[in-house]
Amino acid sequence: MAVFRVENTNVNAPPVNKNDEITLYQIGRYISSNEAAWRIFGFPIHERDPAVVQLAIHLENDIRKVNGQQYPTYKDACLALGLLEDDNQWECMLAEAALNCTAIQIRLLFAIVLTTCFPARAQILWENHKDSMTDDILHQHRIRCHDLTITFSDEMYNEALIAIEDLCIVIANLPLSNFGMNSPNRTASDLMNTEMNRELQYSTVEMAAIVARNVPLMNEEQRTIYDRIAASAGQGPPYIRYGPAMHVKADTDVIIYCPYSGYPIKEVTWLREDGSPVETGPDADEERGVLRLRSVRSTVAGGYICEVRAESGEIARRVIRLEVHRPPKIMPFNFPEEVEIGGSAQVTCTLVSGDKPIQFIWHKDGLPISPTLKVEQKNLDFFSLLIIQELNTNHGGEYTCRANNDYGVASHSATLLVKEATKNIRDVYGPNAVSVRVAQNWFKRFQSANFDVKDEPRSDRPVTDKVVEPPSWVWRAQNTSASAGAALLLPCSAKGQPMPRISWEYSNDGENWRHMLWGQSAASVPSEAGLGSVLSDGTVWLRAAAPQHEGWYRCTARAQHSVLRHIFYLDVREPPRLSRGGGGGESRWVVRGAGARLACAAHGEPDIHIHWTHDSRPLALHGAGSVETRDAAGGAIISEISIAHTGPEHGGEYRCHARNSYGSDELVFKLYVKERPSVPEEVRIPEVWSRRARVSWRATRGALVSHYVLQYRALGRDQHHSPLDAPLPASLDNWDTPDVFNLTLSNTDLLHVGLEAPGRAGATVSALAPDTRYALRAAALNDVGASPYTAPLHFTTREEAPGGAPHDVTVRATRPRELHVSWQPPPRDTWHGTLLGFTIRWWEASEELGEGTSEAAGTESGASAESTTASIRGLKPATRYAVTVRAYNAAGSGPPSPPHYRHTLESRES
């Protein structure tokens, strides 16, 4: 390639860029036949340095437009162009799973799709199917609140998202935010607990077996290294690692391990929450740190304290909670023996015991009940109703109720036999009925028993009576057990022609019956009857069962002269109800060193388990007190904490927890231990002005403070300029003198100075004197007493302009052009600082204008602070002058003295 350039040799021409690569490329490039052939074959003709690359330039947001529509992200635009695979297959999969899978299974399926299949729009998938993934959480909330009208909420969706994120962390160790989804709202402690639970998912027994199996296989060098590491890891003070609560099934054997470390260890003991030793029996295991419990029941649930004592005397304690859960147990049931086609049947599967929540499932002949049979199932807390209307032969078979929770399954089966319906037409028509065969044929065709007979009668009177169907039960209640406060359905529904009327009666002894007016107030019915309402078919909906509702109920269906009656018993089981024993409210106040008692009384069904917590932790009195549980009158159980000598560590929130098979309750006590407050700490004076100062201190911790007292006094002039850290004279140790000021501050009077430092309070001290040294001390008080005072703190107020004018001012004429001025300083208490000097001001004052002539045009001169005289020179002879004197300090000038007038002497020349 040849390159040439034409240059301008004119020195006055503007400079030319001699390194213009683009211009050089354009004027010096030519292609020969060889290069043309080389280019045809697509080979590079020459190298370029630097390389020139054509870049595509697009307008902002232009790429995100598809068919004129702008999408929010480039990914959405690619999906619209069909460049990415959409989520239709995942939509169909989750929709199908919602029909036959539980919410737990759907959440697991969704987590697998997120972590392994990477859907394009994971957030949209969640929004479309979040109801099916949260269905079990909704059910739990309805059961817990006894309210079947509760719907999905953001809190429920958040709980489901937390469960999905936990699964994603287990599968791929990634949170939901990595898959394009919004993270659930969870606190840092929740995340920490999740990670801790993952780390604790191991078996110490299996690990010990692995060690025992592999240590003998080590060679000598490996065994030496192993022994050194094991010895160094085991040395140190005793420590017990945190362990989550253990959830076990009732009537099983339990082994509790104490995860301790340290060396050397003297002994490991087990205690109950109240400090009593654990009774392990004569066949207790001798293995240290292992507690074996045989066939546990709910009575042994609670906290177990593992106490590890080292040879050095150091002790470590950790509470391991044991929760005992019961599998479900249901009451046997049977279908009525006489059940005919066209009639109805219902059966109740009642829960006898078992931890909630319980899930009821019905099967027919070992398979799920087909929807074509139109069998209705109603599930409540403690039972499930199976209702079959319009019976036919297909309804016959074996029905199984299956109740399950997280700790077991119980089932019971009953056989339903459906018989062919047989009707005696003469019983329906009466003795004058004729042509029975004709009537039977019509009855089979219409199956309604509501038609007129047109056949010829045997008597002379035509038969036109209407066929009446006697009442029969559609749905009726069985003997039922319910928890107090739970919603309850008392079914009573009948059919017939004409439609039967339903009435209710109540008896507490099964003999004396009284009519029930549900939804109305009446003295003859249980006091809670007003909480019930009657549905259109006669069934009673009880919004909240109460102990007053327990008793016998009789439901009566009447149709003309036919009557059906059904009697059943309602057993209302009461969950624990706690009340405070010994009088007093939620807050209890005791003086440090005095005794304290907290008692709660529990009423309810038997087998009530009570335990206490202190500040959300298991109660641990460590010998300072005891917990006594005893029976009281009326079937109540009283649990009482007794503390002989209270200290600051005993203050806080105490909760009495009670539970039985039918619910739980808790009661809160707040114990305040009163003592004399401690001395206020870190007292400072961060800001000082001429007449006020701001004092701050760290708020007293521990004991409650009702108010603070600030004492301050002005120091003598002899102490004014001494160092702040210099000791005060012994005479100043007496703070009961008249010159001491006391400032009492309640909590509402304090200044909250959080910007200075967290947890600090303060106050402003006013009416101080300028340029004065003060000593200040503080104390805290409450109704028990006062704390000692702090050591005196010294500070000096700032200067202020003098408040007084010089006095005894005299002006003498000494020469024709000179006046002599003398004065005395202002009173000492008006200096407000250190005087730096005096300012003398003068001006001509004609007698015509009087003595009030303005001094605006006057002249000034200065004098030192030690001076009391000054001479004014350069004046006019025989002229009247006004003279003022004022003092000044570092803060400013004080007021001037009143003007003094004097004529200068006449000049001899005049």
Side-chain angles (χ1 to χ4, degrees):
M1 179 173 67
V3 178
F4 61 92
R5 179 173 63 246
V6 179
E7 296 184 354
N8 189 352
T9 59
N10 185 1
V11 295
N12 295 324
V16 179
N17 182 11
K18 296 182 180 181
N19 193 27
D20 189 352
E21 296 179 2
I22 297 176
T23 303
L24 292 176
Y25 179 85
Q26 291 175 346
I27 68 176
R29 177 175 179 269
Y30 70 93
I31 300 176
S32 66
S33 58
N34 294 334
E35 291 174 329
W38 190 266
R39 186 180 183 88
I40 291 173
F41 287 107
F43 300 126
I45 298 177
H46 54 78
E47 295 181 356
R48 300 177 182 178
D49 187 21
V52 179
V53 180
Q54 180 180 359
L55 298 178
I57 300 177
H58 300 274
L59 296 177
E60 184 180 5
N61 300 328
D62 187 60
I63 300 181
R64 290 193 280 120
K65 284 187 177 180
V66 178
N67 296 330
Q69 180 182 355
Q70 181 174 319
Y71 289 87
T73 64
Y74 295 108
K75 184 176 182 180
D76 292 334
C78 292
L79 286 170
L81 289 171
L83 301 177
L84 296 177
E85 186 177 4
D86 58 22
D87 295 335
N88 287 338
Q89 56 180 330
W90 311 127
E91 291 278 1
C92 296
M93 179 194 69
L94 292 175
E96 182 178 355
L99 299 177
N100 50 25
C101 295
T102 64
I104 297 177
Q105 294 171 329
I106 300 175
R107 288 198 294 266
L108 176 59
L109 183 61
F110 185 59
I112 295 174
V113 170
L114 289 178
T115 55
T116 60
C117 302
F118 308 105
R121 298 177 179 177
Q123 186 66 32
I124 295 179
L125 277 179
W126 158 253
E127 294 294 339
N128 292 342
H129 302 279
K130 60 184 180 182
D131 286 353
S132 60
M133 300 186 206
T134 319
D135 185 64
D136 60 331
I137 299 174
L138 172 63
H139 176 71
Q140 294 172 7
H141 278 263
R142 287 176 173 176
I143 296 301
R144 190 180 303 117
C145 300
H146 307 294
D147 187 357
L148 300 180
T149 62
I150 295 178
T151 59
F152 291 102
S153 64
D154 292 339
E155 291 77 10
M156 298 180 192
Y157 293 142
N158 184 72
E159 189 175 345
L161 281 176
I162 292 176
I164 294 172
E165 187 172 62
D166 291 340
L167 292 172
C168 292
I169 292 175
V170 172
I171 297 173
N173 199 25
L174 292 173
L176 285 182
S177 57
N178 279 52
F179 305 106
M181 290 188 61
N182 299 329
S183 297
N185 183 16
R186 65 201 304 176
T187 61
S189 60
D190 294 332
L191 294 173
M192 185 179 299
N193 291 336
T194 300
E195 294 297 325
M196 184 177 296
N197 291 334
R198 290 183 56 212
E199 295 297 329
L200 293 176
Q201 290 179 358
Y202 61 86
S203 171
T204 56
V205 177
E206 295 179 2
M207 295 177 67
I210 294 174
V211 172
R213 185 170 59 252
N214 290 281
V215 167
L217 304 179
M218 297 180 181
N219 57 35
E220 183 177 354
E221 182 179 0
Q222 292 173 334
R223 185 58 183 266
T224 301
I225 297 174
Y226 171 80
D227 291 339
R228 290 181 179 178
I229 294 176
S232 62
Q235 291 181 354
Y239 173 76
I240 304 175
R241 189 175 64 252
Y242 168 81
M246 297 180 61
H247 296 268
V248 299
K249 182 179 177 180
D251 299 321
T252 58
D253 297 339
V254 177
I255 301 177
I256 305 177
Y257 294 93
C258 182
Y260 70 91
S261 62
Y263 182 83
I265 299 300
K266 181 179 180 181
E267 62 178 351
V268 179
T269 56
W270 290 91
L271 305 172
R272 292 300 298 265
E273 279 185 297
D274 57 1
S276 60
V278 179
E279 298 179 1
T280 56
D283 56 344
D285 199 298
E286 297 297 333
E287 184 179 356
R288 191 162 66 178
V290 178
L291 177 62
R292 300 181 184 273
L293 302 176
R294 307 293 183 184
S295 187
V296 296
R297 297 292 183 92
S298 58
T299 54
V300 303
Y304 290 82
I305 302 174
C306 176
E307 183 177 277
V308 180
R309 187 183 302 271
E311 294 288 352
S312 61
E314 296 178 276
I315 299 176
R317 296 185 180 91
R318 177 76 74 178
V319 177
I320 301 176
R321 297 208 62 80
L322 178 66
E323 300 291 342
V324 180
H325 302 275
R326 295 181 301 172
K329 182 180 179 181
I330 57 179
M331 181 185 299
F333 58 86
N334 291 292
F335 284 98
E337 295 182 0
E338 299 295 332
V339 179
E340 298 180 348
I341 292 178
S344 62
Q346 65 96 19
V347 70
T348 305
C349 180
T350 305
L351 182 69
V352 177
S353 62
D355 286 2
K356 315 304 180 296
I358 300 292
Q359 182 180 13
F360 291 95
I361 301 175
W362 287 89
H363 287 82
K364 179 180 180 293
D365 298 329
L367 298 174
I369 299 176
S370 173
T372 60
L373 295 178
K374 298 181 180 180
V375 176
E376 186 177 3
Q377 178 182 346
K378 296 181 180 295
N379 292 338
L380 293 178
D381 286 351
F382 299 97
F383 59 88
S384 175
L385 296 175
L386 193 71
I387 306 167
I388 309 174
Q389 302 187 39
E390 300 296 335
L391 283 167
N392 57 52
T393 56
N394 294 328
H395 288 116
E398 184 181 65
Y399 289 82
T400 302
C401 174
R402 178 187 175 94
N404 64 81
N405 60 11
D406 293 337
Y407 305 96
V409 178
S411 63
H412 181 75
S413 300
T415 302
L416 174 63
L417 299 177
V418 182
K419 299 180 180 179
E420 291 286 345
T422 58
K423 286 185 178 288
N424 190 331
I425 300 301
R426 291 186 179 275
D427 294 338
V428 177
Y429 280 88
N432 295 325
V434 296
S435 302
V436 175
R437 183 171 60 255
V438 175
Q440 287 178 339
N441 291 334
W442 279 96
F443 184 79
K444 290 180 180 179
R445 290 184 58 186
F446 293 100
Q447 287 289 310
S448 65
N450 186 12
F451 57 89
D452 292 336
V453 177
K454 303 295 184 178
D455 200 6
E456 293 295 332
R458 291 186 179 180
S459 64
D460 297 334
R461 178 175 58 87
V463 177
T464 58
D465 294 339
K466 184 176 293 185
V467 176
V468 177
E469 180 183 357
S472 61
W473 292 118
V474 175
W475 188 18
R476 52 183 171 173
Q478 303 295 329
N479 291 340
T480 303
S481 177
S483 293
L488 187 62
L489 203 64
L490 303 179
C492 183
S493 177
K495 67 176 183 177
Q497 192 60 245
M499 192 67 182
R501 292 180 293 105
I502 303 296
S503 62
W504 285 86
E505 295 172 282
Y506 169 80
S507 173
N508 55 8
D509 56 6
E511 296 180 358
N512 300 312
W513 296 94
R514 294 170 292 178
H515 285 284
M516 294 289 292
L517 301 176
W518 293 105
Q520 304 178 26
S521 59
S524 62
V525 299
S527 60
E528 298 293 329
L531 295 178
S533 58
V534 182
L535 304 182
S536 60
D537 64 346
T539 297
V540 170
W541 171 252
L542 202 60
R543 289 186 291 274
Q548 297 88 334
H549 289 127
E550 184 170 324
W552 295 92
Y553 289 84
R554 183 164 65 188
C555 172
T556 303
R558 300 178 184 271
Q560 293 186 354
H561 302 291
S562 299
V563 177
L564 283 180
R565 288 189 175 91
H566 175 66
I567 300 175
F568 66 93
Y569 188 81
L570 175 59
D571 182 17
V572 179
R573 298 300 179 92
E574 190 176 4
R577 290 182 293 104
L578 292 177
S579 60
R580 293 181 175 86
E586 176 180 325
S587 299
R588 306 293 175 90
W589 300 80
V590 295
V591 178
R592 181 175 183 174
R597 291 179 178 271
L598 305 177
C600 67
H603 300 264
E605 297 298 325
D607 195 15
I608 298 178
H609 175 73
I610 301 178
H611 73 278
W612 291 82
T613 59
H614 180 204
D615 290 338
S616 301
R617 295 186 298 270
L619 179 64
L621 298 175
H622 302 304
S626 61
V627 179
E628 179 187 1
T629 302
R630 62 183 183 273
D631 295 332
I637 298 177
I638 296 179
S639 180
E640 184 177 42
I641 297 177
S642 299
I643 305 175
H645 303 284
T646 55
E649 68 277 6
H650 295 124
E653 182 183 80
Y654 290 80
R655 287 181 180 267
C656 177
H657 303 264
R659 74 170 189 271
N660 61 10
S661 301
Y662 306 96
S664 62
D665 193 12
E666 67 177 30
L667 198 62
V668 178
F669 295 86
K670 293 181 180 179
L671 181 63
Y672 298 95
V673 180
K674 299 188 295 185
E675 58 179 330
R676 293 175 55 184
S678 58
V679 179
E681 300 177 350
E682 301 179 13
V683 181
R684 303 172 187 164
I685 303 182
E687 291 184 284
V688 178
W689 296 271
S690 60
R691 294 183 180 271
R692 58 192 177 93
R694 183 166 65 83
V695 186
S696 71
W697 60 89
R698 191 175 69 186
T700 302
R701 295 172 293 181
L704 297 177
V705 176
S706 60
H707 57 282
Y708 292 88
V709 172
L710 299 181
Q711 287 188 333
Y712 59 96
R713 68 194 306 176
L715 302 182
R717 187 58 55 182
D718 55 340
Q719 298 289 329
H720 185 71
H721 297 289
S722 61
L724 293 179
D725 57 352
L728 295 175
S731 60
L732 297 180
D733 291 341
N734 183 12
W735 287 78
D736 293 330
T737 57
D739 61 332
V740 175
F741 295 90
N742 291 276
L743 179 61
T744 302
L745 301 166
S746 65
N747 289 325
T748 57
D749 299 328
L750 300 181
L751 300 174
H752 296 283
V753 287
L755 295 177
E756 182 179 322
R760 295 188 65 81
T764 299
V765 180
S766 305
L768 303 178
D771 191 38
T772 304
R773 187 180 181 188
Y774 287 88
L776 179 144
R777 64 179 189 171
L781 295 87
N782 59 17
D783 57 351
V784 178
S787 73
Y789 279 92
T790 61
L793 187 66
H794 300 173
F795 67 95
T796 302
T797 55
R798 292 186 178 183
E799 294 186 0
E800 193 177 86
H807 59 91
D808 296 338
V809 178
T810 59
V811 181
R812 294 186 298 110
T814 57
R815 295 180 183 181
R817 296 180 178 274
E818 181 178 327
L819 291 176
H820 183 271
V821 183
S822 64
W823 65 88
Q824 292 298 321
R828 184 64 183 83
D829 58 350
T830 64
W831 286 14
H832 299 168
T834 302
L835 294 184
L836 300 180
F838 298 90
T839 300
I840 301 95
R841 187 176 184 83
W842 67 92
W843 64 94
E844 293 183 17
S846 62
E847 294 182 358
E848 292 79 3
L849 296 176
E851 295 185 357
T853 305
S854 172
E855 58 177 332
T859 305
E860 293 182 348
S861 66
S864 65
E866 294 78 14
S867 301
T868 57
T869 62
S871 296
I872 305 174
R873 296 180 177 87
L875 305 178
K876 296 179 181 180
T879 304
R880 187 172 184 262
Y881 284 91
V883 180
T884 61
V885 183
R886 70 174 67 192
Y888 67 89
N889 57 20
S893 299
S897 64
H900 285 68
Y901 298 91
R902 185 66 60 189
H903 282 83
T904 56
L905 299 177
E906 294 184 357
S907 173
R908 294 179 181 180
E909 298 176 354
S910 61

